[in-house]
Amino acid sequence: MKITIDTSTNSRTIELKKPVCTHQHVRTEATLELVVPMIARRFRAAIIMPNLKPPVTTFTHLEQYKEIIHRANTTGHLFTPMMTLYLTDNLNPGEVDLCGHHAVKYYPRGLTTNSADGVENPQALWSKGSKPHQVLRLLASTGKVLILHAADGFAREGVIVRGTQYHADEELDPYDQEPHFMRETLPRIIDAHPELKIEVAHLSTKEGAEFMQKNGGKRLGCSITCHHLLNDRRDVMRGGFRPHLDWRPVIQPKDNTQALQELCFSGHPFVWLGMDSAPHPRKVKEAACCATGVLTAHAGIELYAEAFETFGALDQRFENFASNNAANFYGLADTDTTITLVNKPWKVRGSYLSGNPDEEIIPYRLGEEVLWRLVE
Ligand code: NCD
Ligand code: ZN
């Protein structure tokens, strides 16, 4: 990574190895055509989430989807979509086997967008004989990665999470879902599948950060989003609930954001970039029950540069987090391709796909500034 300072204009330019994003929702049709070029300009590869309707659960579907993504990359940039299969209670291990080096994504049923087909009871992950258990064994034996949406919907037994007592099977508060998963579910998965490579996606809590500090390494890593680094719950609630800052996992209170910042900026090799850019049409965000997820891909790498700069970590730690750590974990080839960023603020001016009221998307930071700019 190279930082150049022009003292006459006080502008700074960063050249860094082209990054990798481990978490993108590109959807289908017009949204896909909008989002894929945004990603291809900023990332040399990105992991594509499988929570379509219906979810991607077969090799055939995965290959078709990959082809559509390739065709939507009209930028002329080389871009590798890293495809994933959606783990259901019935996902056929044979399909996983067919899918070469690709990963599998775990969704807890009912806890996020299009998760109705997710695993109903996490116990299936360590119960011998279940389909999910077979899938995890296959992943472990072939060196493929299980990506976790690390949340539980229900308390395992009489547990106290963050001071709240829950009885067995009681619904958990959304702010307690990841802490419960970190204590009750992730250790059991690791015990049952010690050889399995696991990525905890979009780590969002201090309990998650603590778990990673202790256990992160060659087989266990995590991604962190820019919204979890740049925001805390006050931003989501300021003046009223803000649907365009609503994701799962939820953005937590300040002490959690600080724990994530500390983990992220300590330069661990098992922590990397994963945006969880998750566009939804405006009409389903501004609705009686707001769809969770927001578009961030329009400023994908710029927002991370802003976070690293704010916390004095805009040095080799930034390039490792953005370009090297996930590439090493997922076994991607190194690259000579670079991107360039300059610290010239720009305003996110408009919504996307605004010609069609059914598709219009409100991006993260609409009407506000982003401090770094991609040089194209
Ligand atoms: C994602 C989506 O919209 O598909 N939403 C979100 O809030 N993150 C699903 C997910 O990754 O949980
Ligand atoms: Zn996601």
Side-chain angles (χ1 to χ4, degrees), residues 94-121:
E95 297 290 337
V96 180
D97 215 12
L98 282 173
C99 288
H101 61 276
H102 302 292
V104 167
K105 176 76 191 285
Y106 165 79
Y107 289 99
R109 185 176 297 178
L111 296 194
T112 189
T113 302
N114 295 348
S115 61
D117 294 294
V119 173
E120 185 176 12
N121 186 339

Side-chain angles (χ1 to χ4, degrees), residues 123-237:
Q123 209 166 332
L125 301 175
W126 58 87
S127 301
K128 284 192 183 133
S130 76
K131 275 266 171 63
H133 186 270
Q134 287 171 28
V135 168
L136 268 54
R137 283 190 54 168
L138 181 66
L139 294 176
S141 67
T142 52
K144 286 180 243 185
V145 177
L146 175 70
I147 305 176
L148 292 172
H149 186 113
D152 287 324
F154 299 93
R156 179 135 305 115
E157 50 214 25
V159 284
I160 297 175
V161 187
R162 291 185 169 178
T164 301
Q165 171 81 53
Y166 293 96
H167 57 70
D169 300 327
E170 186 176 355
E171 183 184 1
L172 292 164
D173 184 283
Y175 291 85
D176 295 343
Q177 290 173 351
E178 185 177 295
H180 185 278
F181 187 96
M182 288 294 156
R183 208 174 73 197
E184 301 293 330
T185 297
L186 184 52
R188 288 177 165 90
I189 302 173
I190 294 171
D191 276 356
H193 306 276
E195 302 300 319
L196 178 62
K197 286 175 85 174
I198 295 175
E199 180 202 286
V200 175
H202 42 52
L203 198 77
S204 67
T205 59
K206 56 184 179 203
E207 291 83 352
E210 249 168 58
F211 192 94
M212 292 307 305
Q213 296 273 16
K214 277 199 201 117
N215 301 293
K218 283 203 160 31
R219 289 211 182 80
L220 177 68
C222 66
S223 66
I224 302 187
T225 75
C226 47
H227 52 275
H228 285 106
L229 288 174
L230 290 164
N231 299 101
D232 64 49
R233 188 169 61 183
R234 293 171 296 182
D235 302 315
V236 184
M237 300 292 179

Side-chain angles (χ1 to χ4, degrees), residues 320-345:
N320 288 343
F321 173 84
S323 313
N324 294 330
N325 294 351
N328 291 339
F329 188 78
Y330 283 93
L332 293 183
D334 205 6
T335 184
D336 294 332
T337 314
T338 58
I339 58 165
T340 302
L341 300 171
V342 58
N343 67 335
K344 281 199 183 131

Side-chain angles (χ1 to χ4, degrees), residues 23 25 27 49 51-52 105 107-108 111-115 149 201-202 225 227-228 246-250 275-280 285 291-294:
H23 200 127
H25 296 271
R27 315 296 193 204
M49 289 296 130
N51 61 334
L52 304 181
K105 176 76 191 285
Y107 289 99
L111 296 194
T112 189
T113 302
N114 295 348
S115 61
H149 186 113
H202 42 52
T225 75
H227 52 275
H228 285 106
D246 185 39
W247 270 270
R248 293 296 176 274
V250 286
M275 299 208 74
D276 198 11
S277 170
H280 286 280
K285 293 291 294 171
T292 68
V294 182

